[in-house]
Amino acid sequence: MVTKRNPVLTAVRLVRILGSTITAALAACAAAQPQCSDVFVAGRDQFPSIRIPSVVVTKTGAVLAFAEGRAVAADQAENQIILKRSTDGGRTWGALQIVAADGANSLNNPTAVVEQPRGRVWLMYQRIPGHLTERSPDIATGYEGTNVYRNFLVWSDDDGAVWSQPRDVTRWTKRPTGATTIASGPGIGIQLTRGPHAGRLLFPFNEGPFYRWNNFAVFSDDRGATWQCGENVPGVLLTDAQGRTRSQVNEVQMVELADGSVRLNSRQFAGAKVRKTAVSHDGGMAWSAVEDVSELRDPGCMGSIFRAEDKAGQPILLYSGPDSLQRVNGTVHLSRDDGQTWPVKKVLWPGSFAYSVLTRLPDATLGCLFETDDATRIVFARFSLDWLTDRAPDHG
């Protein structure tokens, strides 16, 4: 005997199945959305102003978020280098720590890198005399006197719990003539992993005078014992419409490419309002001439460039910054050809968005530490590559 199906009941079952499928799909999409947590909030976290983020993930998986704690909302304001640590992938954060302080002097531009395989965390920053700002006409070149910018290194071998005393590395990392202001990053340094310079520790730098900045690399081939400066990026100066000489570059980050070359990505200061780039084929010693990155708009803001891998193990580059001519609309971009093109992008934070730093967490989730609310709050966002590429998550 053949049982006839009730078409009404069959339709009801189909609707239920489809509904369950849609609900599951929506739940999966919702789960893949970025998760955000406050790290530093000005006024709440000991300092009236907190700016200039840096973030790294240690060998054991701890997330270290650095910033400048400022006495007032100014670039040079008795700044101290501060830190919060997370042991749960950036979901929650521990108490604020003071990594470095120097009285009335200002400590600026925290730039961190994790040295493998031993796991030492290096942090570079600058000391600016308390009576000067970066626009002061009295800033001196060279190494001696009270009007000189200086570079310092500190390090930690226990995931940022305890830090060394500052080490003055100015003579290795600043040119004896010409340079007035000096600034690492800000953001992160890198360690090269392939090619003839594998193992090299590298910090991105810019130097003044104001309006005439240069970009270059500072690097070490002996695990931080000694350091040296690479050459300046050529072609950075131009003449603007008022006949003034201006540099196209300023704050800078660097990233290793698939063949061991290094690409820099710099904040624009003059010329087209897009990011600037150059490539080094010798580990940061010499550079190609500066070029525009036409796909990456830039209102004049520090941005982040970071190397990662997709699920197939193929290399990708990520960039974060305002996709706008104002400091809003924080967007993550993806390149699959070592930064020659940037065909994928997605808005991470549509509102106020200034300085940002990308990282990768132990579970392959990506992270972005960024300034928002007119740079009065620093937030950490966790997101997946699936979210960025709009790919359905793989649940195994």
Side-chain angles (χ1 to χ4, degrees), residues 220-366:
S220 173
D221 290 321
D222 54 12
R223 304 203 309 173
T226 61
W227 298 83
Q228 61 180 303
C229 293
E231 299 172 10
N232 287 332
V233 175
V236 301
L237 297 179
L238 54 74
T239 302
D240 67 14
Q242 287 73 45
R244 302 170 300 185
T245 300
R246 294 288 186 264
S247 176
Q248 300 178 69
V249 300
N250 190 239
E251 295 164 321
V252 62
Q253 290 283 262
M254 295 175 182
V255 68
E256 185 179 25
L257 305 183
D259 66 354
S261 299
V262 179
R263 180 181 292 280
L264 69 77
N265 184 284
S266 180
R267 170 181 175 171
Q268 71 82 17
F269 187 79
K273 292 187 179 300
V274 295
R275 303 296 292 182
K276 311 301 177 182
T277 193
V279 174
S280 172
H281 297 291
D282 55 7
M285 177 57 78
W287 297 88
S288 63
V290 70
E291 297 179 357
D292 289 344
V293 187
S294 60
E295 294 171 275
L296 301 181
R297 290 197 291 175
D298 182 14
C301 184
M302 176 269 177
S304 178
I305 191 166
F306 188 79
R307 180 181 177 83
E309 291 182 348
D310 65 16
K311 289 189 174 182
Q314 296 301 306
I316 57 174
L317 296 186
L318 302 173
Y319 166 79
S320 64
D323 187 16
S324 171
L325 296 184
Q326 298 178 340
R327 291 186 176 185
V328 296
N329 203 42
T331 300
V332 181
H333 303 247
L334 182 148
S335 171
R336 295 188 182 276
D337 56 10
D338 275 344
Q340 297 181 66
T341 62
W342 298 87
V344 176
K345 66 178 181 179
K346 195 165 187 179
V347 176
L348 176 67
W349 192 268
S352 168
F353 191 94
Y355 288 29
S356 63
V357 188
L358 293 162
T359 194
R360 183 180 183 274
L361 300 168
D363 64 358
T365 301
L366 300 167

